Amino acid sequence: MYKVLIVDDEAIIRDGIAAVIDWEQYGFTLIGAAPNGVEALEMIQVEPPHIVITDLRMPVLDGLELIARVKQTYPGIAFVVLSGYGEFESAKTAMHYGVRHYLLKPCNENQIIQVLLELKEELQSNEQKEEFIRKNRENLEKVLPLVKEQFLRDFIANRNYVKDEYPYYRHLFGLEDLSVRLVLYEPEAEAGFEELFGLVQIIEDCFAETSFLNTVIKNQVLSLVQIEQETALASAINRVKNTFKYYHNLEVTVAYSEERTFEAAPLLYNEMRECLKHSIYVGVGSIITKRDIELSGAAKGPPELFFDFDSVAVAVKSGNLETVHRTIADFFKQLRQHKFPVEVVKTYATQLLTVLIRQCRTEELKDQLDKVVELQRIETVEGIESFIQITGWERTKDFHSRILSKHSRLIQTLLQYVQEHLGDENLSLKQLAAEVVFMNEDYLSKLFVKETGEKFSNFLMKQRMERAKELIGQASADRIYEIAQSVGLGNNPQYFSQLFKKYTGMAPSEYKKAN
């Protein structure tokens, strides 16, 4: 019901309008009638109406003054002006206050009802608009932190498409004149998704309001903080390390940067990744800075190339021939895009070759090192790529054979069963122990970790996410909820989308566009 107030100094008009209209039939409630603007103003302050029907000429406080005062405090109240033939100038003044509805005295019931219904429609339309805007704001408040995190991740990862949009997002997220330090955390290899996201929570608790971004990138947690004093930063990092060690019994190695403008974050990120690679010299669980690397006399490399050499080692050890081939091809694609001379290509290629050679058996190491000399004799990028691809295939094939022979027949049965039943929502180690291999669940869990090197829950999640990537990457991919069903997460598509984003860094829809 929309509330209506009548204001007129003539009682016959006030009472007449009040009596002639069946207010409730048309969706209105008459909350009162006032003989002048002063009493009307008092009544409005006690109970603001939606609509005021007011005369212009009244003693004490006339209609125009009433409209002006009410609009200052209650701009949403709509007015209907009662005017006579000689009051055109006053009515025109009322238009300046947004009044658009007039009733010429004398007026009948139908004219009043028509104006009221027009106002009712306008009020409903305004309410719909306000509700739409309110919901939009609520949705924006929910999604904005996710958009901010994704933008910051993309910007720091130096993705080209972000650069064009940077001025807009810089203003949106208040990044102008922002000075930050970049902190990169790397837990021990045993850390899984649970430990990584536990580390994020610990960082947020220890850094409180000084933390600007905390996000998981592969096996590391990246954090942007606003702390000028290095001693305060080191103290907070130590609290993070000690708390993480207490809850998860794992060490975490940390690298932190100097204070720079936000625009330097991509450079700082690559510097900190290089710092973490030196944990082999300073020890796991250390805190490393760029100064430590410079003091250690680490040699400066060729021009900057952003490539994750560790990902090649991981792919080789997993025995994944396709991934190794694709990763090496991507590496040389970058080299070609940069148009580096052959000498620089050889320097980077030697670094990649060394990573591959380090994966061989100890007894083969001496013979494999001869390949470094052999690579220097090749004079074309195509020849170098072919040479690296062959070496990568040899090393990966070796690991593939080792993995196959390493897994017992029981674990092979279990792995095969998982692949064939990924769509089963109830798939679990408990079910496999009781219904497939018929053994104690705890013993099976330890055996699985021993032979595969990871927890069953992590393995199952990865297999589901890899299968989801395949399905989403297909041209005729199903809807998200259908894909979630196909990988055993159909009972909660939203949880599936969250897991997929944590695993790939992208929402399912973003991943499909990117692939």
Side-chain angles (χ1 to χ4, degrees):
M1 292 285 185
Y2 291 100
K3 294 180 286 186
V4 179
L5 174 67
I6 301 172
V7 188
D8 199 301
D9 60 333
E10 296 182 50
I12 190 171
I13 294 179
R14 289 196 312 274
D15 297 341
I17 295 176
V20 77
I21 305 297
D22 186 348
W23 299 97
E24 290 190 3
Q25 178 185 347
Y26 296 104
F28 297 97
T29 299
L30 182 65
I31 63 170
N36 57 63
V38 172
E39 290 189 25
L41 195 59
E42 291 174 352
M43 294 173 70
I44 290 171
Q45 290 171 344
V46 173
E47 184 180 5
H50 295 95
I51 300 170
V52 176
I53 302 174
T54 181
D55 189 15
L56 287 179
R57 291 186 178 180
M58 294 182 294
V60 187
L61 186 71
D62 66 23
L64 286 178
E65 292 175 342
L66 173 65
I67 294 171
R69 292 192 187 184
V70 170
K71 285 293 183 180
Q72 288 178 355
T73 310
Y74 306 99
I77 294 179
F79 280 86
V80 179
V81 169
L82 295 169
S83 63
Y85 281 107
E87 298 173 341
F88 176 73
E89 289 300 321
S90 297
K92 191 165 67 172
T93 302
M95 293 174 64
H96 292 295
Y97 297 107
V99 178
R100 297 189 296 109
H101 296 276
Y102 302 89
L103 288 170
L104 188 64
K105 296 179 182 179
C107 52
N108 59 39
E109 174 187 355
N110 292 332
Q111 290 172 323
I112 298 172
I113 291 172
Q114 181 180 350
V115 169
L116 287 172
L117 291 178
E118 287 177 2
L119 270 172
K120 179 182 177 182
E121 185 176 344
E122 290 179 12
L123 289 169
Q124 289 174 337
S125 177
N126 289 337
E127 288 172 355
Q128 290 173 354
K129 290 177 183 177
E130 290 174 1
E131 178 65 13
F132 176 78
I133 292 171
R134 185 189 65 79
K135 288 183 177 180
N136 267 1
R137 285 175 178 166
E138 286 182 357
N139 292 334
L140 182 62
E141 288 175 359
K142 292 177 182 177
V143 77
L144 203 57
L146 300 176
V147 174
K148 179 180 178 180
E149 179 178 348
Q150 188 60 49
F151 164 73
L152 293 174
R153 283 168 57 101
D154 290 347
F155 177 77
I156 292 170
N158 209 25
R159 295 184 181 174
N160 291 331
Y161 77 89
V162 172
K163 295 177 181 177
D164 298 332
E165 303 166 351
Y166 177 68
Y168 168 76
Y169 285 110
R170 179 180 60 185
H171 176 71
L172 178 64
F173 299 128
L175 303 176
E176 297 97 336
D177 303 321
L178 182 69
S179 294
V180 297
R181 291 181 185 269
L182 190 144
V183 187
L184 201 57
Y185 301 82
E186 186 173 76
E188 290 185 81
E190 293 84 353
F193 276 93
E194 180 182 348
E195 289 80 8
L196 284 170
F197 284 95
L199 178 55
V200 170
Q201 185 61 56
I202 292 170
I203 294 169
E204 290 176 351
D205 291 343
C206 290
F207 279 87
E209 299 299 322
T210 61
S211 179
F212 189 72
L213 168 71
N214 298 297
T215 186
V216 175
I217 300 180
K218 296 184 180 178
N219 64 325
Q220 298 172 336
V221 175
L222 183 151
S223 180
L224 289 180
V225 298
Q226 293 178 279
I227 298 180
E228 293 183 13
Q229 297 297 326
E230 192 167 352
T231 52
L233 175 63
S235 176
I237 290 174
N238 275 310
R239 288 199 301 275
V240 171
K241 284 168 47 61
N242 294 336
T243 306
F244 187 75
K245 175 73 172 177
Y246 175 80
Y247 284 112
H248 298 284
N249 197 30
L250 292 172
E251 294 287 352
V252 56
T253 306
V254 187
Y256 70 86
S257 75
E258 60 188 347
E259 188 178 27
R260 296 279 297 275
T261 61
F262 176 75
E263 283 76 5
L267 175 63
L268 297 178
Y269 174 54
N270 286 298
E271 287 180 351
M272 294 309 99
R273 291 177 66 195
E274 289 300 317
C275 285
L276 287 179
K277 290 179 182 179
H278 285 74
S279 62
I280 190 172
Y281 304 113
V282 297
V284 174
S286 301
I287 300 177
I288 311 170
T289 68
K290 187 179 177 182
R291 292 191 304 272
D292 299 323
I293 306 306
E294 292 170 346
L295 290 172
S296 70
K300 293 184 178 179
E304 196 73 37
L305 178 74
F306 302 133
F307 182 79
D308 187 1
F309 289 91
D310 292 339
S311 65
V312 181
V314 172
V316 170
K317 290 179 180 178
S318 67
N320 193 323
L321 292 163
E322 181 182 349
T323 300
V324 172
H325 179 82
R326 185 176 63 250
T327 305
I328 293 174
D330 289 342
F331 171 81
F332 280 93
K333 182 179 179 181
Q334 279 198 57
L335 292 181
R336 289 188 178 93
Q337 288 174 343
H338 285 286
K339 300 187 184 301
F340 289 135
V342 173
E343 292 76 18
V344 175
V345 172
K346 285 184 179 180
T347 302
Y348 279 120
T350 301
Q351 187 175 353
L352 178 56
L353 179 62
T354 303
V355 171
L356 294 171
I357 291 173
R358 288 208 312 262
Q359 313 313 314
C360 73
R361 302 172 191 265
T362 306
E363 60 269 23
E364 300 174 342
L365 188 58
K366 186 176 183 301
D367 293 334
Q368 290 295 321
L369 288 174
D370 293 338
K371 289 189 174 185
V372 177
V373 178
E374 188 177 349
L375 183 145
Q376 306 308 316
R377 300 193 187 104
I378 305 173
E379 294 300 329
T380 65
V381 175
E382 290 74 16
I384 294 173
E385 180 177 4
S386 177
F387 183 80
I388 295 290
Q389 285 284 14
I390 292 171
T391 304
W393 185 88
E394 291 172 346
R395 298 274 58 80
T396 310
K397 188 68 175 175
D398 181 40
F399 269 94
H400 184 71
S401 301
R402 279 194 256 172
I403 291 170
L404 290 178
S405 61
K406 180 180 178 182
H407 292 164
S408 68
R409 183 177 299 177
L410 183 146
I411 295 298
Q412 285 289 351
T413 301
L414 189 148
L415 296 178
Q416 184 66 32
Y417 186 93
V418 169
Q419 290 297 325
E420 295 172 356
H421 296 81
L422 279 177
D424 184 359
E425 295 180 0
N426 298 317
L427 187 62
S428 66
L429 190 64
K430 183 177 181 179
Q431 176 202 8
L432 292 171
E435 301 176 10
V436 180
V437 296
F438 308 104
M439 65 166 51
N440 179 272
E441 180 184 353
D442 289 338
Y443 177 76
L444 181 59
S445 175
K446 293 176 182 177
L447 183 63
F448 188 89
V449 172
K450 179 181 177 181
E451 295 204 18
T452 66
E454 64 180 337
K455 298 177 183 177
F456 176 82
S457 57
N458 283 349
F459 168 80
L460 179 58
M461 186 278 297
K462 288 179 181 177
Q463 296 303 308
R464 282 175 164 163
M465 293 302 101
E466 288 297 328
R467 178 71 60 81
K469 285 167 62 179
E470 293 175 8
L471 294 173
I472 293 174
Q474 294 172 3
S476 58
D478 298 324
R479 296 184 177 89
I480 297 303
Y481 76 88
E482 293 174 337
I483 293 173
Q485 288 179 338
S486 299
V487 298
L489 296 169
N491 61 338
N492 196 338
Q494 184 178 3
Y495 177 62
F496 162 74
S497 296
Q498 292 173 349
L499 272 182
F500 189 89
K501 185 169 184 179
K502 290 177 182 178
Y503 184 77
T504 65
M506 292 183 281
S509 57
E510 295 171 341
Y511 184 85
K512 177 160 182 63
K513 290 180 182 179
N515 292 272

